[in-house]
Amino acid sequence: MIISYYDFQNLPDRQAQYNFVLTHGRLISVREVNQSKYVLYKVSTFSVELIYDTARDKIIGMNLFENNSF
């Protein structure tokens, strides 16, 4: 599904953004550091990194990257 970076940022809340990434994103890479897991997804023309707390099995953050070379 195509969505612009701007439209993604304007989804109703973080949970809607997480759901969009998990439903429509394409997994690019995963890395683990201590008790955190960083999962990078390609979404339309930008990338989203979801940060998980592996001890609590919960998303604790998100980073957006507007331009990429994928």
Side-chain angles (χ1 to χ4, degrees):
M1 173 177 233
I2 304 270
I3 187 172
S4 73
Y5 180 83
Y6 175 79
D7 288 338
F8 179 80
Q9 286 186 310
N10 287 309
L11 288 173
D13 56 26
R14 282 284 191 182
Q15 190 60 50
Q17 291 174 336
Y18 297 156
N19 290 341
F20 191 90
V21 170
L22 295 172
T23 303
H24 301 288
R26 182 171 55 100
L27 181 67
I28 300 297
S29 69
V30 177
R31 67 184 169 100
E32 292 192 39
V33 178
N34 298 323
Q35 291 190 355
S36 296
K37 183 170 27 171
Y38 299 81
V39 184
L40 183 65
Y41 295 90
K42 171 120 170 77
V43 179
S44 193
T45 60
F46 56 95
S47 298
V48 178
E49 181 181 60
L50 296 182
I51 306 165
Y52 293 88
D53 178 335
T54 56
R56 296 184 305 176
D57 194 29
K58 182 178 180 181
I59 299 172
I60 58 171
M62 178 174 67
N63 295 312
L64 296 173
F65 304 98
E66 188 171 5
N67 298 319
N68 60 46
S69 59
F70 296 115

